[in-house]
Amino acid sequence: MKWISCTVTVVVLWVTAVSTGGTLCDSDGVICRISNLNITSSPEAFTLLAQQPSSVTTYTSVMIQQLIMGSTTIADLLINASTITNSVLFKKFHEKNIFLPRKVTLEALTVQEARNLQTFIIPTNKHLKQLEITHCAVSIVPPAFRNLVSLKELRLKLCSIKTLNLALLATLRHLETVQLIGNNITTIYPPQSALAANIRTVDLSYNQLRRIDMSVLRSLKLMQTLNLEHNQLSTVDYRPGEVVTLPRLTTLRLSNNKLERISFEQLNATSLEYLVLSSNRFITVPEYLQNFPNLALLALDNNLLESFDFSILQSLGNLQWLELHDNHLASVVLPKEIDLPYLHQLLLANNRLQSVNLEQLYAPRLSLLDLRNNLLTTIPNVFEKGIEQLESVNVVDNPLTCGTYETYRKYIHLGMIVPKWVLQNADLCSTGTYFTLTETQRVCCLV
């Protein structure tokens, strides 16, 4: 008899199991916790949980902390577990391989802390729909995965994968989610077929991509989310003259890369709603944003922008969130009236703005204007433009005079203008000057 080299948690979904009066399970109700289960002397221990005596408790999960297996293999364990559950989770797994026999009828298999795992032996399996492997030694998406013909969700996280072979994944006709977070992927190989049937989410965040040719993704016609955050991307490229059409794409995440310039001229994604370009090295605003008429979020925060011309937004009538904070903005330009009827939040904090003139901006639904930590000497007059939903204009940490605050006393009193309050007499004000709103409310200001 030996201890298996993995700690096993078997998760049982909507299974009727035996109430053992504390002999086998040390808790009642939804979760049955088994501290030790020996299947060397009683190989039928798993099936006992599925028997139907007069006293029955229904458990949503059965957790086995320590499992004594003897000569029982992982394959046999999975087959036996299939008799009582649709889902199995290994919290620690020290084996080098997994054999998934045809008799395994599990729908979900999760293997965590599998640092030795390298090999998968998988005959054709029509049952498994979700597979998640974490912290493994796998360096490629195993070819054996093509035998998981019903697979919908594939997650290989924090492993050693260096290439993504979309041709292999395209053979899985039901696959919807591909999540390969925290690997070492530097290259993507395109699928050979015209369509990668049902893939809707591709998450390649926290990898080592330095460039990506969007053409390799052109067959993902149903893709809704593409996450390329936290890579080393300096180039997003296209084949000469080719337009990549992704008709269902709603979310494109490119934050935390090394992008300095980008053009969307060759990307046809008219359904795009969320474009996240934060924490890059942009010195100019990306070109051809007008290709995304349904854009609701444009995030350009934490870049190197020195100026922003609102004219580029004139065709983005559905924009709701504009994030420009943490740049080097010295000016925002509105050369003509810009209509953004659904804009809720305009974030301009942590820039170098000395003034902001928003008279040409029509944004009746604006609720938050964040101007913290700039060089403002005036407050934008957005209070007389029929902005009925305006809740907050945050001007904390700007060099504003007491006279300026006096002009907007009404809006400070209503809480619509948020200054830096001096709450106690002991609080320091760098200028030594205060604007007094009430007996208990004072604001640090310039003379």
Side-chain angles (χ1 to χ4, degrees):
M1 181 175 69
K2 68 173 183 177
W3 289 90
I4 186 175
S5 56
C6 60
T7 301
V8 180
T9 299
V10 178
V11 180
V12 183
L13 301 177
W14 307 112
V15 170
T16 302
V18 179
S19 175
T20 58
T23 304
L24 188 61
C25 297
D26 58 12
S27 66
D28 295 324
V30 227
I31 299 176
C32 173
R33 292 183 178 88
I34 303 173
S35 57
N36 292 284
L37 181 63
N38 188 333
I39 62 174
T40 57
S41 56
S42 302
E44 70 282 1
F46 272 113
T47 55
L48 287 175
L49 292 173
Q51 290 180 356
Q52 301 287 329
S54 56
S55 176
V56 170
T57 299
T58 299
Y59 298 106
T60 58
S61 69
V62 175
M63 296 191 298
I64 302 169
Q65 284 151 3
Q66 197 73 51
L67 185 63
I68 307 174
M69 292 183 61
S71 60
T72 303
T73 66
I74 294 293
D76 291 334
L77 170 64
L78 294 176
I79 291 173
N80 290 334
S82 295
T83 63
I84 63 168
T85 182
N86 290 325
S87 176
V88 168
L89 162 66
F90 292 85
K91 292 198 66 92
K92 289 187 178 180
F93 192 90
H94 298 289
E95 306 296 315
K96 293 183 178 180
N97 59 72
I98 284 183
F99 176 39
L100 200 66
R102 284 188 175 89
K103 293 182 181 179
V104 172
T105 59
L106 298 173
E107 293 186 0
L109 175 61
T110 301
V111 182
Q112 299 176 346
E113 292 292 334
R115 297 184 184 276
N116 297 325
L117 182 59
Q118 299 178 26
T119 307
F120 293 81
I121 304 170
I122 305 175
T124 300
N125 182 291
K126 298 181 180 179
H127 302 283
L128 199 68
K129 296 178 181 178
Q130 301 174 28
L131 177 61
E132 179 173 329
I133 313 289
T134 305
H135 286 293
C136 65
V138 174
S139 58
I140 62 171
V141 178
F145 283 6
R146 69 175 74 246
N147 293 324
L148 299 172
V149 295
S150 298
L151 196 66
K152 287 188 175 182
E153 300 178 15
L154 174 62
R155 295 179 173 87
L156 297 174
K157 302 186 292 186
L158 300 169
C159 292
S160 304
I161 298 171
K162 297 179 180 179
T163 61
L164 170 58
N165 187 351
L166 285 175
L168 187 153
L169 298 182
T171 64
L172 300 172
R173 311 307 292 176
H174 298 283
L175 188 62
E176 296 180 359
T177 299
V178 178
Q179 192 178 75
L180 303 178
I181 298 174
N183 284 278
N184 298 313
I185 296 173
T186 60
T187 307
I188 302 174
Y189 294 115
Q192 298 170 350
S193 59
L195 294 177
N198 288 299
I199 295 177
R200 287 164 167 76
T201 298
V202 177
D203 189 344
L204 302 178
S205 56
Y206 292 92
N207 276 282
Q208 301 297 320
L209 290 166
R210 295 183 180 276
R211 67 178 297 275
I212 183 169
D213 180 352
M214 293 293 287
S215 302
V216 303
L217 305 173
R218 66 185 183 278
S219 65
L220 304 179
K221 298 300 183 183
L222 297 183
M223 182 170 60
Q224 298 172 357
T225 300
L226 175 59
N227 188 347
L228 298 171
E229 293 182 329
H230 292 276
N231 275 272
Q232 304 293 320
L233 287 172
S234 59
T235 304
V236 176
D237 213 349
Y238 302 83
R239 293 179 182 175
E242 180 181 15
V243 174
V244 175
T245 299
L246 299 173
R248 301 287 185 88
L249 189 66
T250 59
T251 303
L252 176 57
R253 309 187 72 90
L254 290 165
S255 70
N256 290 280
N257 280 287
K258 298 180 179 180
L259 295 166
E260 296 182 5
R261 296 178 183 272
I262 193 171
S263 172
F264 295 110
E265 181 180 11
Q266 293 174 254
L267 178 59
N268 179 13
T270 54
S271 297
L272 193 68
E273 296 180 14
Y274 306 98
L275 179 58
V276 183
L277 302 169
S278 313
S279 301
N280 278 283
R281 301 173 181 177
F282 288 113
I283 56 176
T284 59
V285 177
E287 298 176 336
Y288 291 91
L289 290 174
Q290 65 268 26
N291 284 357
F292 312 132
N294 290 302
L295 202 63
L297 166 68
L298 175 58
L300 279 164
D301 52 290
N302 199 21
N303 278 286
L304 304 175
L305 300 175
E306 296 184 355
S307 179
F308 186 84
D309 187 341
F310 273 73
S311 298
I312 66 170
L313 307 177
Q314 60 185 349
S315 60
L316 304 181
N318 292 301
L319 194 66
Q320 298 178 38
W321 300 277
L322 179 57
E323 300 182 3
L324 297 170
H325 54 91
D326 294 280
N327 275 281
H328 297 169
L329 291 176
S331 64
V332 293
V333 181
L334 282 94
K336 57 182 178 180
E337 185 168 303
I338 304 297
D339 187 1
L340 297 176
Y342 297 104
L343 186 66
H344 290 306
Q345 296 186 5
L346 175 54
L347 308 183
L348 293 164
N350 301 313
N351 279 290
R352 302 170 181 175
L353 296 166
Q354 296 184 23
S355 64
V356 177
N357 188 343
L358 299 176
E359 291 184 4
Q360 298 273 54
L361 177 63
Y362 177 71
R365 288 185 170 89
L366 187 67
S367 61
L368 171 62
L369 175 58
D370 189 354
L371 296 166
R372 287 172 298 132
N373 193 28
N374 276 283
L375 303 173
L376 296 178
T377 56
T378 60
I379 298 174
N381 189 1
V382 292
F383 305 96
E384 299 175 4
K385 294 176 62 64
I387 306 179
E388 298 178 357
Q389 298 183 25
L390 188 62
E391 297 178 359
S392 176
V393 178
N394 194 327
V395 293
V396 169
D397 292 328
N398 279 280
L400 294 164
T401 66
C402 297
T404 298
Y405 282 125
E406 179 64 41
T407 303
Y408 291 96
R409 173 184 289 269
K410 168 185 174 182
Y411 299 105
I412 298 175
H413 187 74
L414 292 172
M416 296 173 68
I417 290 182
V418 180
K420 184 174 183 178
W421 295 105
V422 181
L423 300 177
Q424 301 176 1
N425 291 331
D427 288 346
L428 296 177
C429 176
S430 59
T431 65
T433 306
Y434 304 100
F435 163 72
T436 302
L437 182 65
T438 67
E439 291 182 359
T440 58
Q441 292 180 304
R442 295 188 304 172
V443 175
C444 185
C445 57
L446 296 175
V447 178

